[in-house]
Amino acid sequence: MKQDLTMESTVRELYETPIGHDVLAKVLLQMGIAEKWLQNPIIGGRKLKTLAKLTQKQFDAAFWQALIDLVNAETAIPADRIAGAVGGIRPTWWKEAVIYQIYPRSFADANGDGIGDLKGICSKLDYLKDLGVDALWLSPVYDSPNDDNGYDIRDYRKIMTEFGTMEDFDELLKEAHARGLRIIMDLVVNHTSDEHEWFQKGLNEPDSKYRDYYFFRGDTGKEPNNWSAFFGGTAWNYYPEQKLWALHLFSKKQMDLNWDNPDVRADVIDMINWWLDKGVDGFRMDVINYISKTPGLPDGNDAIGKLMLFYGIEHYFYGPHLHEYLHEIHEKAFKPHGAFSVGETPGVGREMAKLLTGEERGELDMVFSFDQLETPGHIRFDDYEYDLNYYRDYITDWMEHYGNNCWMSLFYNNHDNPRMVSKVSKDPAAAQAIAKLLAVMQFTLKGTPFVFQGDEMGLVNYDFRSIDELSDVESVNRYAELLEVRPADEAFRIIKSGTRDHSRVLLPWNERAKALPEHLRQSPDPVITDLYRKLIRLRKAHPALIYGRFELLSGKKNVFVYRRSDASETFVIECNLHKKPRKPVFTENGYTLVYPITAGAQMQPYEARIWRKLN
Ligand code: ISL
Ligand code: CA
């Protein structure tokens, strides 16, 4: 479909396009405004030029032009919008699976040096099997100088020394497969370490073909554009000796690859095939939606930069060749191996996600979308209480509109985020109930659950006492930046709220973790682990919880009641999303209680109940 929006088009016309839908939703989310606002007929009927006039303080003409260009550039429409194009859900192993994310550095330390390793992972395979998970996603285990804990890869075909050897990896793969556990690797190919051979050659050998593997630019006296790096400052490094600039969207040691160069794509695809030939079952693809950048790398729009707190995003979060490059990787690597892919796609909304994961498109199997992780108007570094009413609305919207040809990922945590339990409430007395509630939702909503290590232990955030206890490059850099404008204690408070270190402390079962200062120690909660085991088994035993229909029964304030059903049975799940007890909404005629063992007259704070009946 050709989109030909102009400033004469209406807000509704814009909102009806996939990109317009997602961008407007994202802008409102950043501004802390409910998306419902757009569904108001008066707003919807306004011309864009009128809206532009009303919002001229926030958004300049260039913003609207950039948006219209982005919308008009996407000619595809999601298949579920075409009558008759999508049938029923196609069953696959990864729709039925529960996937467990391991952050190897802090998971299990076999040799007692305080750093998790591959032998450690091997030693926990029986535990993981018993938990009931089907696949393990390993955060990067490749050779790396660890500026960003392995997300800065120096050699894609070598194992990080601290984690072990390639023999250890082969052993892990064999042992995992012997237990029926699949292994999903982390694919970090938006960038490499500056210590990668390609970058070193590109930087130091002017005639090398690797000069075009990255975004090198000659000396013009200042940064080639105004883009920001996510881990602080400008996105450009200057190399005085070579008189060259080079682009990095993340840390100063994570250099962006130039995907427009076919040799880059061929080398990356070779590498993927090398791992797939070894027998790994798939990849989680790091910031994979960032790989295609607007040609010429133009400056980022000012309004977008201010709104998103980073400049330049609109030039790479959904770049001009993204679909083409993903399709190429799919055709040349994933498809021939029948391998699984999940893309990490920050900034991608519901409709863009459909164009990335629609089964007819041959790009990705699933994506991680992140707009569920903070309540609208908040960022990770704010100290606030996350409102689960927002999660209900967000997840319901996706489940109702994502279509049978797309499949969702369900997660609250990963190695980049503080624990969701702690976001919802800082009250330690509430933690167990919240962990249970999150687990019940995760295993009974529609999609593939991704458990992050420690979720199943009921882990919460750590009470870090000083910046010296943090090691994440993002936290360290941001803290230094904040010190220029805030007193030290305030700067630390901000960093402490959002630091990725909350999810990266050595897990409690390690000997070395027991030696940590008391405020960095937690005990696994066996009640939560037991509940994870039970819920995973429940989900497995009842296809209605996997492929069944989802229907919202009540979404009023603090209430989330939904139904999952297929021809043979019906489940109803009722959740109290709030810290106050309340009367149940669901009347359980003909249903039996599956969880918990008994149901009182009141729903307790954050209580969740699962009911079931045969059809
Ligand atoms: O894009 C962001 C800000 O809006 C980031 O939050 C981004 O989503 C995130 O940092 C991307 O994460 C992944 O790539 C990073 C790495 O540090 C993370 O650990 C990884 O999950 C760079 O490789
Ligand atoms: Ca170790």
Side-chain angles (χ1 to χ4, degrees):
M1 184 178 78
K2 182 158 161 26
Q3 316 277 6
D4 41 16
L5 259 62
T6 67
M7 292 304 279
E8 296 295 325
S9 309
T10 63
V11 173
R12 188 175 310 113
E13 284 165 332
L14 175 64
Y15 189 57
E16 277 168 0
T17 68
I19 311 305
H21 170 276
D22 287 6
V23 173
L24 287 179
K26 183 80 185 171
V27 166
L28 293 183
L29 187 70
Q30 286 303 113
M31 297 171 82
I33 302 172
E35 206 181 316
K36 284 203 196 89
W37 185 77
L38 285 170
Q39 282 133 24
N40 175 321
I42 299 169
I43 307 289
R46 288 249 159 93
K47 288 193 169 166
L48 293 180
K49 65 176 186 195
T50 317
L51 186 66
K53 218 175 265 159
L54 288 172
T55 56
Q56 61 188 350
K57 276 214 185 88
Q58 291 100 325
F59 304 108
D60 55 7
F63 165 83
W64 293 100
Q65 202 48 55
L67 175 54
I68 285 176
D69 289 348
L70 205 60
V71 168
N72 288 341
E74 179 58 272
T75 53
I77 57 168
D80 70 297
R81 291 182 179 210
I82 304 164
V86 176
I89 301 171
R90 188 179 60 91
T92 60
W93 72 263
W94 45 265
K95 291 178 185 166
E96 294 164 23
V98 173
I99 302 180
Y100 185 97
Q101 183 193 352
I102 291 180
Y103 195 66
R105 178 161 293 271
S106 49
F107 183 67
D109 170 23
N111 64 356
D113 64 354
I115 301 171
D117 43 52
L118 296 179
K119 284 207 162 76
I121 299 175
C122 239
S123 74
K124 296 293 181 190
L125 290 176
D126 289 330
Y127 164 86
L128 293 164
K129 184 68 194 170
D130 178 53
L131 192 60
V133 304
D134 305 279
L136 310 176
W137 149 30
L138 309 182
S139 274
V141 296
Y142 317 93
D143 175 49
S144 162
N146 284 309
D147 190 53
D148 185 21
N149 284 357
Y151 283 91
D152 48 323
I153 298 172
R154 183 166 47 202
D155 186 341
Y156 288 102
R157 299 176 203 223
K158 211 178 140 205
I159 295 293
M160 179 158 355
T161 319
E162 293 162 321
F163 293 174
T165 62
M166 194 56 82
E167 287 68 50
D168 296 335
F169 180 84
D170 293 338
E171 176 76 8
L172 171 61
L173 190 61
K174 197 179 96 210
E175 290 296 318
H177 282 168
R179 289 166 178 78
L181 293 167
R182 289 183 159 92
I183 297 283
I184 294 159
M185 303 286 281
D186 214 312
L187 186 72
V188 189
V189 290
N190 172 69
H191 44 266
T192 72
S193 164
D194 63 344
E195 297 182 29
H196 194 289
E197 184 189 2
W198 299 341
F199 187 81
Q200 282 307 314
K201 287 194 169 147
L203 177 65
N204 295 313
E205 300 169 16
D207 299 324
S208 143
K209 70 167 192 166
Y210 296 107
R211 179 114 338 157
D212 192 44
Y213 267 47
Y214 297 85
F215 296 96
F216 286 112
R217 294 291 180 270
D219 189 4
T220 48
K222 67 176 181 60
E223 290 82 1
N225 68 26
N226 69 352
W227 295 7
S228 334
F230 289 106
F231 300 155
T234 161
W236 293 93
N237 284 345
Y238 185 62
Y239 299 88
E241 208 174 300
Q242 295 82 357
K243 296 199 167 40
L244 285 175
W245 295 94
L247 179 75
H248 64 88
L249 294 182
F250 291 89
S251 92
K252 290 187 171 312
K253 287 177 67 65
Q254 292 169 295
M255 311 313 298
D256 281 62
L257 282 166
N258 173 18
W259 274 73
D260 295 332
N261 179 340
D263 290 344
V264 169
R265 303 202 297 276
D267 275 349
V268 169
I269 288 168
D270 262 3
M271 178 273 286
I272 299 174
N273 279 322
W274 187 83
W275 283 99
L276 292 176
D277 287 343
K278 233 182 198 310
V280 310
D281 301 282
F283 284 94
R284 172 268 188 189
M285 298 156 88
D286 192 66
V287 289
I288 200 66
N289 57 317
Y290 291 5
I291 57 178
S292 165
K293 277 110 181 155
T294 306
L297 313 182
D299 273 345
N301 176 264
D302 215 50
I304 301 176
K306 288 200 178 99
L307 184 74
M308 305 300 298
L309 310 171
F310 297 98
Y311 283 77
I313 299 188
E314 71 276 23
H315 292 302
Y316 56 76
F317 89 108
Y318 197 75
H321 300 288
L322 176 61
H323 292 302
E324 184 188 321
Y325 298 160
L326 289 176
H327 188 64
E328 184 179 351
I329 308 175
H330 179 79
E331 287 299 309
K332 296 183 177 162
F334 285 85
K335 192 165 136 191
H337 284 92
F340 162 75
S341 64
V342 52
E344 191 218 21
T345 55
V348 161
R350 195 187 79 201
E351 297 298 303
M352 293 181 187
K354 286 183 187 173
L355 293 175
L356 295 168
T357 63
E359 287 177 354
E360 72 289 353
R361 297 185 52 88
E363 296 184 21
L364 299 168
D365 290 328
M366 274 194 257
V367 293
F368 294 129
S369 180
F370 292 96
D371 292 340
Q372 80 221 38
L373 291 184
E374 313 296 337
T375 309
H378 285 291
I379 61 165
R380 173 154 51 92
F381 292 91
D382 294 343
D383 186 9
Y384 75 101
E385 281 195 356
Y386 181 96
D387 182 357
L388 284 169
N389 287 286
Y390 169 69
Y391 182 70
R392 175 199 59 222
D393 294 344
Y394 171 93
I395 207 76
T396 300
D397 176 63
W398 275 69
M399 286 184 295
E400 288 180 344
H401 296 107
Y402 205 38
N404 278 348
N405 61 325
C406 296
W407 191 255
M408 298 197 17
S409 61
L410 298 167
F411 69 101
Y412 314 104
N413 293 321
N414 63 25
H415 63 292
D416 292 333
N417 283 279
R419 297 272 176 187
M420 183 55 95
V421 169
S422 303
K423 284 189 201 173
V424 173
S425 169
K426 310 262 164 323
D427 177 7
Q432 194 189 59
I434 298 170
K436 288 179 177 172
L437 167 67
L438 294 177
V440 167
M441 290 193 292
Q442 193 177 25
F443 297 113
T444 60
L445 290 171
K446 191 174 180 179
T448 296
F450 283 79
V451 175
F452 178 62
Q453 64 178 43
D455 285 353
E456 86 282 17
M457 303 173 186
L459 297 191
V460 296
N461 284 350
Y462 290 87
D463 183 22
F464 296 114
R465 300 281 163 84
S466 90
I467 191 73
D468 304 329
E469 289 179 346
L470 305 183
S471 57
D472 174 29
V473 60
E474 180 195 49
S475 302
V476 171
N477 291 357
R478 262 185 185 245
Y479 179 72
E481 283 185 351
L482 275 173
L483 279 186
E484 289 169 21
V485 289
R486 307 271 177 124
D489 56 338
E490 209 180 299
F492 178 65
R493 245 195 345 264
I494 295 171
I495 296 302
K496 181 174 158 174
S497 299
T499 181
R500 307 194 295 181
D501 283 303
H502 285 298
S503 54
R504 299 177 178 192
V505 173
L506 197 58
L507 287 188
W509 58 27
N510 289 291
E511 277 314 308
R512 280 288 199 102
K514 295 174 188 151
L516 287 168
E518 200 179 319
H519 63 280
L520 298 180
R521 266 186 269 151
Q522 291 188 46
S523 327
D525 182 345
V527 173
I528 299 298
T529 313
D530 187 54
L531 178 62
Y532 269 70
R533 276 198 200 97
K534 290 199 171 109
L535 290 172
I536 292 173
R537 281 164 179 70
L538 182 75
R539 185 179 183 275
K540 288 247 149 79
H542 301 277
L545 292 175
I546 300 171
Y547 295 119
R549 273 155 59 96
F550 166 89
E551 289 155 285
L552 180 69
L553 299 184
S554 173
K556 56 183 199 182
K557 196 164 192 312
N558 300 330
V559 178
F560 191 13
V561 187
Y562 54 96
R563 180 156 59 203
R564 298 297 314 278
S565 58
D566 62 12
S568 55
E569 54 185 349
T570 302
F571 286 86
V572 171
I573 293 91
E574 170 155 12
C575 305
N576 180 9
L577 302 179
H578 194 59
K579 60 178 142 230
K580 291 203 195 83
R582 62 163 174 82
K583 282 223 164 59
V585 169
F586 175 63
T587 42
E588 62 268 16
N589 282 344
Y591 283 79
T592 27
L593 188 64
V594 175
Y595 172 83
I597 295 165
T598 55
Q602 294 272 337
M603 297 279 298
Q604 293 306 305
Y606 303 108
E607 186 181 340
R609 296 178 180 174
I610 306 175
W611 301 90
R612 171 176 175 255
K613 83 171 166 55
L614 291 173
N615 292 335

